[in-house]
Amino acid sequence: MEPHSWCEISRGALEHNVKQLRRVVGSRCMLAPVVKANGYGHGITLAAAAFLSAGADWLCVNDLAEANLLRRAGLGCPIYVLGWVAPWEMEEVCGLGVRIVVYDSDAVVAAAAAGRSHNRSIPLHIKVETGNHRQGLPPNDALALARLVNDLEGVYLEGITTHFADIEDTTDHTYATKQLTIFEDFIAQCSHAGLSPSIRHCSNSAATILWPNTYFDMVRTGIASYGMWPSKETLLSAVLADRHGMQLRPALAWKARIAQVKTVPKGSFIGYGRTYQATHDSRIAVITCGYYDGYDRRLSNLAYVLVNGVRAPVRGRICMNLMMVDTTDVDSSDVSLRAGEVTLLGDSAGERISAEQMAEWIGTINYEVVARINERLPRREVM
Ligand SMILES: *Cc1c(COP(=O)(O)O)cnc(C)c1O
């Protein structure tokens, strides 16, 4: 069966990005690319294999279902679970041989029980609250939890961690610096208490690009591993800090096909709600992708697609499985059922639609654009 819409993922680009990140963090800091959200939409197993072959040490996932996919794909690498693990999932944690983040005693006690029953010791990472107010415990409570982990059989304190709240949205890094100070204080408190977890980590892509003093023992790089900058502000900060030697290569192209080509006379309406009326006789192509596939409906009458490098504007509303584009100005030999593909995102004959461009059209960020491409669409690996 021919897919009607699919993604082409450049393995070379994924490997290149991880090597760039390795270059900045050096050989002593572990590199743990994040493959949650289906590898930021790139295909989780494909991305994982590329990152590992480029020298990644660990992989980060959101949950046990993702960890399970990686194990079933035959990957035996260390896996760190960033997201929530329920107390009743600890048997699976043992079975999958993953490390998890904890921030309450219920999880710790449940993990210890599962560890003991398997004659194992589960590696735990305690998350300290430094100002994001998502996961994590204030330093004093985190210290108490660290002591509990230390006292229980069946678990051990492998890591401590935190996460920045305000690093990619601004060029003012005062808040992030405060978070870092709280994290450093917590590390000192742990060591005072005789606790010395071997893996301290807090750095995401933006911190990895901008601040060597956030590396500690490991960095968790998501978006940059896929060749995208965390934000314009991060790019600007990198340029200002003279750390713009970082060359990232976007790895994803999103394609679809032409289902029909038709001439639409001037004055005709196109699509649901008649939101577009042709201002001239138009050659309209019907494209095999819609909002079910992840092509946001807010792109209606706003985006364009590339047909052999030429921009064809979206006309009318995006439908569930289809959309219409105006190909009047595209070479007619490129506009047929047999002509092949159109590019919704990525490069085509010297032109590019970036995830950042699409994010701006929709009013979101590049992360969401790629992460929301329907998992059902095939991801084809290309060089
Ligand atoms: C998703 C995530 C990351 C990766 O963030 P990027 O900005 O994509 O590098 C790192 N750490 C945690 C806890 C995350 O949830």
Side-chain angles (χ1 to χ4, degrees), residues 98-322:
V98 297
R99 47 265 298 149
I100 61 172
V101 64
V102 291
Y103 34 88
D104 66 67
S105 54
D106 286 355
V108 169
V109 169
R116 285 193 303 273
S117 78
H118 288 78
N119 238 333
R120 293 259 297 276
S121 192
I122 300 179
L124 301 181
H125 293 227
I126 288 181
K127 192 149 201 180
V128 56
E129 177 58 69
T130 57
N132 195 17
H133 297 101
R134 191 169 71 174
Q135 297 159 300
L137 279 176
N140 284 340
D141 302 338
L143 192 61
L145 194 66
R147 287 202 169 99
L148 176 66
V149 171
N150 205 42
D151 290 345
L152 288 176
E153 240 172 88
V155 288
Y156 72 98
L157 184 62
E158 181 181 55
I160 47 177
T161 179
T162 193
H163 193 49
F164 290 111
D166 193 28
I167 188 159
E168 47 287 278
D169 292 288
T170 170
T171 53
D172 173 0
H173 294 129
T174 317
Y175 194 81
T177 306
K178 273 188 197 146
Q179 285 191 268
L180 185 60
T181 304
I182 297 173
F183 187 55
E184 285 167 339
D185 286 350
F186 181 68
I187 291 171
Q189 277 183 53
C190 280
S191 100
H192 264 276
L195 305 164
S196 44
S198 58
I199 304 174
R200 302 155 298 169
H201 53 105
C202 63
S203 195
N204 56 9
S205 293
T208 302
I209 293 168
L210 297 176
W211 293 345
N213 62 334
T214 62
Y215 295 169
F216 299 98
D217 306 299
M218 184 170 88
V219 297
R220 311 181 302 258
T221 52
I223 198 85
S225 313
Y226 301 93
M228 288 168 280
W229 281 79
S231 65
K232 274 186 199 156
E233 288 79 0
T234 304
L235 178 56
L236 183 59
S237 301
V239 171
L240 292 174
D242 205 17
R243 290 184 63 77
H244 56 295
M246 177 71 83
Q247 295 293 329
L248 297 174
R249 272 169 46 193
L252 182 145
W254 184 5
K255 311 233 165 133
R257 303 192 77 89
I258 296 171
Q260 190 183 11
V261 184
K262 58 183 60 177
T263 303
V264 171
K266 176 177 176 177
S268 309
F269 295 104
I270 296 176
Y272 291 127
R274 299 191 297 154
T275 60
Y276 185 80
Q277 187 170 26
T279 54
H280 51 76
D281 291 353
S282 308
R283 186 174 59 210
I284 295 295
V286 181
I287 306 299
T288 57
C289 185
Y291 58 78
Y292 173 56
D293 302 290
Y295 198 90
D296 201 290
R297 189 167 171 276
R298 283 167 290 187
L299 293 164
S300 300
N301 288 310
L302 188 59
Y304 52 82
V305 307
L306 299 174
V307 185
N308 199 15
V310 179
R311 297 177 182 195
V314 171
R315 297 302 192 207
R317 287 205 183 127
I318 306 297
C319 312
M320 194 176 280
N321 300 104
L322 297 165

